Amino acid sequence: MKFSNGYWLAKDEYLINSPLEAFDASKVSGETENGTEALRVFAAYQSIDSRSRMLDVGMSTITVSTPAEDVIGVEIKHFDQDDHNPLFKLYPEKVQPTINVDDNTAMLKSGNLEFVASLHDRFHIDFNYNGSRITGSEYKAQASIADLSGQELGKVMHPNTVAGAQSLATPGSVKRADHFMREQLSLLPGTNVYGFGERFGNFVKNGQTINTVNMDGGTGSEQSYKSIPFYLAGKSGVAGKPGVYYGVFVNESQPTSFEVANEVVDRVSFSTRGESLEYYIIAGDSPKDVVGKYNKLTGGSVLPPEWTFGLWLSTSFTTDYSEETVMKFIDGMAERHIPLSVFHFDCFWMKGFEWCNFEWDKEQFPDPKGMLKRLHDKGLKVCVWINPYISQKSPLFKVGQEKGYFVKQGDGNVWQWDLWQPGLAYVDFTNPEAVDWYKGLLRNLVEMGVDCFKTDFGERIPMHDAVFANGNNAQGEHNYYTHRYNKAVFDLLKEMKGEDEAVVFARSATVGGQQFPIHWGGDNLSQFHSMADSLRGGLSFLSSGFTFWSHDIGGFEENASPAIYKRWTQFGLLSSHSRYHGNIQYRVPWLFDEEAVEVTRKFTQLKMDNMDYIYGQAREAVKQGIPLMRPMYMEFPEDANTATLDRQYMLGSDWLVAPVMTESGDVDYYLPEGKWEHILDGRVIEVPENGKWMAENYDFLSLPLWKKL
């Protein structure tokens, strides 16, 4: 949120108190999750130049710790209260920091990263890496903020003081104000900011306001299916000098607002509702180093089975389909010598209006168990669509209602609405009994022959008048819902199929979701600009600690033109995972034109022929905690020309892909310094030190696909 009125003033409705002087600091033991020592700093909201200044003053309690080498956590508390928000689960290591407190500073050091806070002076914080300042919290950047909007300000004494805010809680006075905590971290000149999960706007986030709240808003708006409160700050190295890279992870599951170099143009501000705020600085020598450390801190990635990297074909969504349709498509792919790995059944494998009942529609699929065996006999894996919602018409609704398996309203009734399905209810994954019930419904399908699930939705979770079984704040559970949902499904698959075979195809995600691969980009459009939107979203998502990502080849909405289909097929089959899917149109290539068949066959076979490279790179990416399909800046951090590139990417460490996003075949892209071989036409070029910009034209059977030699 933006609380300021220009650089100097606060907006009238906000009472902002910032730590002005740290008056005490000490080492504390036994309070961190990994059992190591921490540093605690007490900072008052006014300067302490006499004993009288110790009265009627608030303070922030700042606890500094390290969960891993080169990672420093900062927890800022105003009042020591439980906000009932789930914090994201972290996986700390046993790292003992160096802590020192003297007359002027309080310092904690982890590896080569150092936290330094001033004492008995104008309060500020520096974060130093390898002896140089990379970011920090300036004087008055931190804040405890009361929202006085709607208050009877005439009843508030001294409205610009802490005492004024405290008067709001005086018996007989007006109700207490809403409260926020804020931090602002400075940016070095020339620093670009990336990440925040799947974001479809400008790839470099400087100048944007980003709210980390999962929403079902498509791929062409500011909303995101996958909001991640993590950003990577990077300044490219030049002339042989190393760059500066660090990450900031805000450990708050409830919606958090980031003002990226806009409210204060040389800082990233972030704020959240409540009395506390926790964030981590993650330093490293390269973008891969930083993202890898964040990935491991939040659970690490999981390597999906090799078969998932082949081509997935879907029924599409609102199309008519039955076993006859499915077999016709599968046989058609085989007749055209197009390798197929997975067949996906979308929503209408169940009866309409009953999602989810987890029962096959017997009119269209009279022998589901036999059909699944017939698909397996063709060498295919089977995926079916599910979501975590239960329609009132589903036979399962009454069961969940009576047993308390759904999210409730404040009055005890089930929280329902008519969006998506009539009388829809939400499975409450904070209730262990509800989790077991839901997993049991899926167990029946796995026993029948289903191999994996498309875990759709998980974003439109109620935040108001919603009661969860664990008593947590509904705003905190909103983003965390997808984690509980996907974990339940993934755990069931691990239990039944084994750790090496478990996989979901998920739309929503939050921090730690990389433990439950794969994720795809949601409902895009069958237009060229949506190819670019999707790729930007994917590269932002992959800058945020995730390793694998996919998208609907051809776009989801609308009818795709033959040109869109063929160009997107190239892009999709050179992504980490590849799936044809649509809304109103089947996505088999012969329905477009014969060249589409040739394009699909060529690029599917290309991927299968190079599976040793792709799967080997996937294995290494999981080991390092980095994306398989990665932004150019991540692979070439010392080439400033790569800092803003968002229409090309590296697939592993050696392949450069620049999707063609025009019907004409015109494409412009950038080749960094080095020797490159074009994988499709055999050209070899030597690119000079300053890189080379390319402008070329490609037919539908080719695109810029280069291998670094």
Side-chain angles (χ1 to χ4, degrees):
M1 293 182 63
K2 294 182 179 180
F3 301 100
S4 61
N5 174 14
Y7 193 81
W8 310 110
L9 304 177
K11 292 180 179 178
D12 290 343
E13 63 268 34
Y14 296 118
L15 176 65
I16 300 178
N17 284 292
S18 295
L20 302 187
E21 180 181 327
F23 60 89
D24 192 16
S26 61
K27 186 186 301 185
V28 293
S29 301
E31 296 185 16
T32 60
E33 191 174 349
N34 59 359
T36 59
E37 294 176 327
L39 171 68
R40 183 155 293 149
V41 178
F42 299 92
Y45 297 159
Q46 62 187 26
S47 298
I48 310 299
D49 53 9
S50 68
R51 287 191 171 184
S52 64
R53 301 282 281 175
M54 297 179 181
L55 306 176
D56 297 326
V57 59
M59 71 173 184
S60 286
T61 302
I62 304 167
T63 303
V64 188
S65 60
T66 176
E69 191 169 278
D70 297 328
V71 180
I72 290 179
V74 179
E75 180 194 53
I76 311 165
K77 280 190 176 182
H78 174 224
F79 293 151
D80 191 356
Q81 297 182 352
D82 186 350
D83 291 333
H84 298 287
N85 286 317
L87 294 178
F88 295 114
K89 180 174 174 55
L90 304 185
Y91 297 79
E93 302 170 358
K94 191 82 171 181
V95 177
Q96 192 63 250
T98 300
I99 299 175
N100 183 64
V101 178
D102 58 30
D103 290 341
N104 300 312
T105 58
M107 181 273 289
L108 181 145
K109 188 173 184 180
S110 172
N112 294 312
L113 179 63
E114 185 180 56
F115 165 99
V116 182
S118 62
L119 297 177
H120 312 299
D121 197 0
R122 288 164 58 94
F123 180 73
H124 68 278
I125 294 169
D126 292 326
F127 291 97
N128 306 317
Y129 183 62
N130 289 328
S132 298
R133 186 178 187 272
I134 56 173
T135 188
S137 179
E138 309 287 353
Y139 184 63
K140 291 189 176 183
Q142 277 187 22
S144 166
I145 301 170
D147 181 357
L148 307 182
S149 58
Q151 305 293 329
E152 299 177 51
L153 295 182
K155 295 185 179 180
V156 181
M157 298 172 52
H158 311 297
N160 293 320
T161 67
V162 173
Q166 290 171 340
S167 73
L168 292 172
T170 302
S173 184
V174 294
K175 68 177 182 179
R176 184 169 171 173
D178 202 358
H179 194 270
F180 298 85
M181 297 295 287
R182 183 194 73 191
E183 176 64 289
Q184 295 176 334
L185 296 177
S186 55
L187 294 170
L188 295 174
T191 300
N192 290 317
V193 176
Y194 309 94
F196 297 106
E198 186 181 45
R199 296 286 161 183
F200 305 104
N202 287 344
F203 181 50
V204 175
K205 301 303 185 287
N206 299 52
Q208 299 180 40
T209 292
I210 292 172
N211 295 308
T212 55
V213 52
N214 284 357
M215 303 287 282
D216 178 2
T219 64
S221 77
E222 65 181 357
Q223 295 181 3
S224 172
Y225 302 103
K226 309 170 187 66
S227 289
I228 312 295
F230 168 84
Y231 67 86
L232 176 70
K235 182 179 180 182
S236 302
V238 292
K241 294 184 178 180
V244 177
Y245 303 98
Y246 62 92
V248 178
F249 162 48
V250 180
N251 190 16
E252 299 290 341
S253 65
Q254 67 180 354
T256 301
S257 177
F258 291 82
E259 323 301 328
V260 186
N262 60 18
E263 183 179 24
V264 180
V265 297
D266 58 358
R267 302 176 189 175
V268 177
S269 303
F270 46 92
S271 58
T272 193
R273 180 176 274 103
E275 297 285 346
S276 64
L277 176 65
E278 180 175 294
Y279 68 91
Y280 292 80
I281 303 293
I282 304 165
D285 297 329
S286 69
K288 288 182 184 178
D289 191 16
V290 172
V291 169
K293 289 172 182 174
Y294 165 73
N295 171 281
K296 300 300 183 185
L297 178 66
T298 54
S301 292
V302 169
L303 181 66
E306 186 171 343
W307 55 262
T308 67
F309 290 80
L311 180 59
W312 298 45
L313 178 63
S314 166
T315 58
S316 291
F317 174 31
T318 58
T319 48
D320 291 327
Y321 49 88
S322 61
E323 180 175 351
E324 181 183 2
T325 313
V326 168
M327 291 304 181
K328 182 173 65 176
F329 288 161
I330 291 169
D331 291 342
M333 297 291 273
E335 290 165 6
R336 293 164 175 83
H337 306 290
I338 300 171
L340 192 62
S341 298
V342 183
F343 193 84
H344 168 70
F345 292 85
D346 216 55
C347 311
F348 281 98
W349 70 271
M350 294 179 278
K351 280 192 172 184
F353 291 117
E354 294 191 14
W355 304 334
C356 286
N357 62 16
F358 302 104
E359 296 286 343
W360 290 86
D361 182 347
K362 290 299 180 67
E363 292 181 10
Q364 304 301 325
F365 304 101
D367 178 23
K369 189 171 183 178
M371 179 186 65
L372 294 175
K373 183 180 185 304
R374 290 186 281 276
L375 292 174
H376 287 153
D377 289 345
K378 291 177 179 290
L380 297 174
K381 300 291 185 179
V382 177
C383 175
V384 299
W385 175 95
I386 60 172
N387 73 17
Y389 314 149
I390 307 294
S391 162
Q392 186 170 301
K393 188 176 183 297
S394 168
L396 299 174
F397 181 86
K398 282 295 182 186
V399 178
Q401 183 184 46
E402 291 170 3
K403 292 186 177 293
Y405 292 160
F406 298 143
V407 177
K408 296 180 180 179
Q409 299 178 138
D411 63 6
N413 281 308
V414 173
W415 204 106
Q416 293 179 264
W417 66 357
D418 288 329
L419 194 59
W420 180 246
Q421 290 285 276
L424 176 151
Y426 299 84
V427 176
D428 185 351
F429 290 99
T430 73
N431 180 346
E433 293 181 2
V435 173
D436 290 342
W437 174 65
Y438 192 82
K439 289 167 71 174
L441 299 169
L442 302 185
R443 183 174 287 107
N444 296 334
L445 292 165
V446 177
E447 289 173 347
M448 186 182 292
V450 170
D451 297 291
C452 60
F453 297 101
K454 172 182 169 180
T455 49
D456 206 354
F457 289 79
E459 307 94 357
R460 287 177 175 156
I461 309 306
M463 288 192 287
H464 306 288
D465 191 33
V467 177
F468 288 80
N470 65 356
N472 273 346
N473 185 331
Q475 294 207 354
E477 285 294 340
H478 173 91
N479 284 345
Y480 208 71
Y481 187 92
T482 177
H483 192 85
R484 301 187 191 278
Y485 163 40
N486 279 296
K487 183 179 187 302
V489 180
F490 199 83
D491 285 351
L492 181 276
L493 289 168
K494 281 198 301 182
E495 172 193 329
M496 298 193 70
K497 308 287 288 185
E499 289 196 11
D500 294 338
E501 285 293 303
V503 67
V504 296
F505 206 86
R507 187 173 76 176
S508 59
T510 190
V511 172
Q514 70 272 12
Q515 299 169 84
F516 320 124
I518 309 151
H519 293 85
W520 101 97
D523 297 346
N524 44 24
L525 307 178
S526 299
Q527 300 177 23
F528 280 112
H529 73 77
S530 196
M531 284 180 66
D533 300 343
S534 294
L535 180 53
R536 283 196 306 274
L539 294 179
S540 290
F541 179 62
L542 294 164
S543 296
S544 306
F546 286 74
T547 299
F548 304 106
W549 174 77
S550 185
H551 45 95
D552 289 345
I553 298 176
F556 175 72
E557 300 286 356
E558 312 164 329
N559 288 319
S561 68
I564 285 282
Y565 185 89
K566 288 178 280 193
R567 295 299 186 195
W568 211 315
T569 291
Q570 298 173 337
F571 171 32
L573 283 159
L574 289 166
S575 299
S576 93
H577 287 80
S578 310
R579 183 184 72 148
Y580 280 123
H581 186 56
N583 182 351
I584 59 176
Q585 184 186 40
Y586 299 122
R587 292 296 196 230
V588 288
W590 55 89
L591 296 182
F592 294 87
D593 57 33
E594 281 307 307
E595 188 177 44
V597 174
E598 190 177 357
V599 170
T600 301
R601 180 170 51 242
K602 177 175 181 175
F603 284 92
T604 306
Q605 196 61 56
L606 175 70
K607 191 171 192 184
M608 300 307 292
D609 289 345
N610 288 277
M611 194 56 70
D612 285 348
Y613 168 74
I614 292 170
Y615 201 60
Q617 290 285 316
R619 185 180 289 108
E620 183 61 27
V622 167
K623 181 179 176 181
Q624 295 185 46
I626 61 175
L628 170 61
M629 184 179 171
R630 62 197 62 145
M632 294 297 294
Y633 77 81
M634 194 174 288
E635 194 64 40
F636 301 95
E638 308 215 349
D639 184 344
N641 288 326
T642 67
T644 62
L645 299 179
D646 60 9
R647 287 181 289 115
Q648 61 184 83
Y649 55 91
M650 297 296 294
L651 183 60
S653 58
D654 296 338
W655 284 21
L656 185 152
V657 185
V660 179
M661 300 179 182
T662 61
E663 185 168 359
S664 67
D666 292 334
V667 57
D668 56 90
Y669 61 98
Y670 175 77
L671 282 178
E673 175 190 2
K675 192 174 184 179
W676 296 87
E677 178 184 8
H678 198 288
I679 292 173
L680 299 177
D681 65 27
R683 280 180 291 157
V684 176
I685 63 174
E686 191 85 40
V687 176
E689 182 179 352
N690 295 325
K692 183 177 178 64
W693 292 93
M694 310 283 284
E696 298 178 322
N697 182 272
Y698 287 83
D699 63 26
F700 287 112
L701 291 170
S702 190
L703 80 164
L705 177 59
W706 295 87
K707 180 180 180 181
K708 195 173 192 304
L709 299 177

